[in-house]
Amino acid sequence: MINTVWQLSGDMAERYEEFLVPVIFVPWARDLLSRTHLKPGDKLLDLACGTGVVARLAADQGVSVIGGDINPGMLAVAADRAKGLHVSFQQADAQALSFEDGCFDALICQQGLQFFPDKPVAISECFRVLRPGGRAIFCTARGLDENPLMRSQVVAFGRHLGEDTTMAIRSVCGFTDPDEMRALFEQAGFSPVNVEKVVLDLFAPDGRAFVNGMMKSTPVADRIAAMDQPARDALREALLQEFGACFDGSALRFPHSANVAVAARPA
Ligand SMILES: C[S@@+](CC[C@H](N)C(=O)[O-])C[C@H]1O[C@@H](n2cnc3c(N)ncnc32)[C@H](O)[C@@H]1O
């Protein structure tokens, strides 16, 4: 069955951590943490934590972190990679958080909001679990036209695997309007709310190795694994070609564009 939202199964969480996290999610986690102004001892919720990159980097700063995600496979990798750090992980649906009112100083959600089916309920839950004066920092990808990483997959998967396989990647760029994002936070009671476009310049020194890894860590990785080797090689080359000038024949350097919301729960 085709995965129409962004959920990974089997060993794909391992591949996500191995291939996608260093190139995409570490730079974003650093950016978001620099906007959060955490102090040692603060309590942070890393919501939709995936394999826990934000949680690990925050724990390195002496912050006490809980990572929550709906996907047990992602959480298993997160727990394994965070051994020895002051972090715990638990299964959590953003729309029904099990935490007490006001128990976090800050909440970061990196590339998760676009997948929540009921966004107003999820953002109200975030408001509830933050203490007065606490801050929420969210980032969600902007459109396919601004993101060669996702656009290349939509085009190449559509041609080589069928249009139905593009749904999960399209869902990554499924919540792109900054005004809609701002209204979501304001309606939940956050004030002030600042939403800005942020573009990071991402770099994979070995573009082919990165794209090979990406093909193993997308929600349609099972379909790609079922192709024969020449077909898989053709798909990889098509993906690289769709990156256009971002691929120089060896390395990939591409813009990654997102809306970043910084929202405060009034003190
Ligand atoms: C693209 S990954 C981002 C993971 C992580 N924040 C990172 O930066 O690597 C999206 C994550 O959102 C999680 N997710 C989707 N819907 C969710 C929900 N309703 N509640 C909690 N997590 C959810 C997925 O399981 C997945 O781990």
Side-chain angles (χ1 to χ4, degrees):
M1 180 158 122
I2 290 293
N3 196 332
T4 54
V5 292
W6 208 96
Q7 279 291 306
L8 297 182
S9 57
D11 73 351
M12 289 175 212
E14 287 279 356
R15 306 285 82 80
Y16 173 92
E17 173 65 26
E18 181 181 358
F19 297 111
L20 301 189
V21 167
V23 173
I24 303 163
F25 297 99
V26 167
W28 274 107
R30 292 207 171 106
D31 181 278
L32 298 189
L33 281 165
S34 76
R35 296 166 193 272
T36 313
H37 308 298
L38 292 163
K39 301 183 299 298
D42 277 353
K43 281 194 73 180
L44 171 73
L45 175 61
D46 177 9
L47 182 60
C49 65
T51 54
V53 59
V54 169
R56 288 196 299 274
L57 292 174
D60 283 343
Q61 299 178 8
V63 171
S64 169
V65 192
I66 296 181
D69 197 284
I70 206 163
N71 184 320
M74 298 294 256
L75 290 168
V77 175
D80 181 64
R81 296 304 192 280
K83 279 182 190 142
L85 294 173
H86 202 69
V87 188
S88 63
F89 293 97
Q90 64 184 69
Q91 194 164 15
D93 180 345
Q95 293 158 192
L97 297 176
S98 60
F99 309 108
E100 285 176 16
D101 294 1
C103 66
F104 292 103
D105 299 293
L107 183 155
I108 295 180
C109 181
Q110 170 162 288
Q111 301 295 350
L113 174 61
Q114 58 269 59
F115 309 112
F116 302 161
D118 194 332
K119 294 175 182 52
V121 168
I123 299 305
S124 292
E125 278 291 85
C126 293
F127 185 89
R128 182 183 66 75
V129 301
L130 277 172
R131 67 163 169 80
R135 280 150 59 93
I137 288 81
F138 276 66
C139 99
T140 54
R142 286 173 61 96
L144 289 171
D145 52 334
E146 297 179 39
N147 279 300
L149 176 70
M150 282 73 93
R151 188 179 60 236
S152 65
Q153 291 175 77
V154 166
V155 173
F157 291 174
R159 282 201 197 119
H160 289 247
L161 287 162
E163 197 51 36
D164 57 336
T165 64
T166 69
M167 299 293 281
I169 299 299
R170 288 182 190 280
S171 74
V172 175
C173 298
F175 184 69
T176 56
D177 183 345
D179 294 332
E180 207 181 330
M181 193 174 190
R182 184 179 304 103
L184 193 58
F185 285 89
E186 286 173 349
Q187 278 156 18
F190 285 94
S191 177
V193 179
N194 179 59
V195 179
E196 72 173 291
K197 169 180 167 172
V198 178
V199 183
L200 296 191
D201 186 33
L202 301 183
F203 181 65
D206 183 339
R208 277 201 172 75
F210 172 72
V211 169
N212 271 330
M214 186 177 84
M215 287 160 55
K216 294 178 186 157
S217 41
T218 102
V220 292
D222 287 344
R223 287 278 288 266
I224 296 172
M227 299 168 101
D228 62 25
Q229 191 60 48
R232 254 199 315 276
D233 290 346
L235 174 59
R236 183 194 60 226
E237 294 308 308
L239 284 159
L240 286 165
Q241 197 182 349
E242 290 302 328
F243 272 96
C246 300
F247 180 56
D248 68 5
S250 165
L252 264 174
R253 185 180 287 282
F254 55 97
H256 199 260
S257 177
N259 291 320
V260 175
V262 178
R265 176 171 173 164

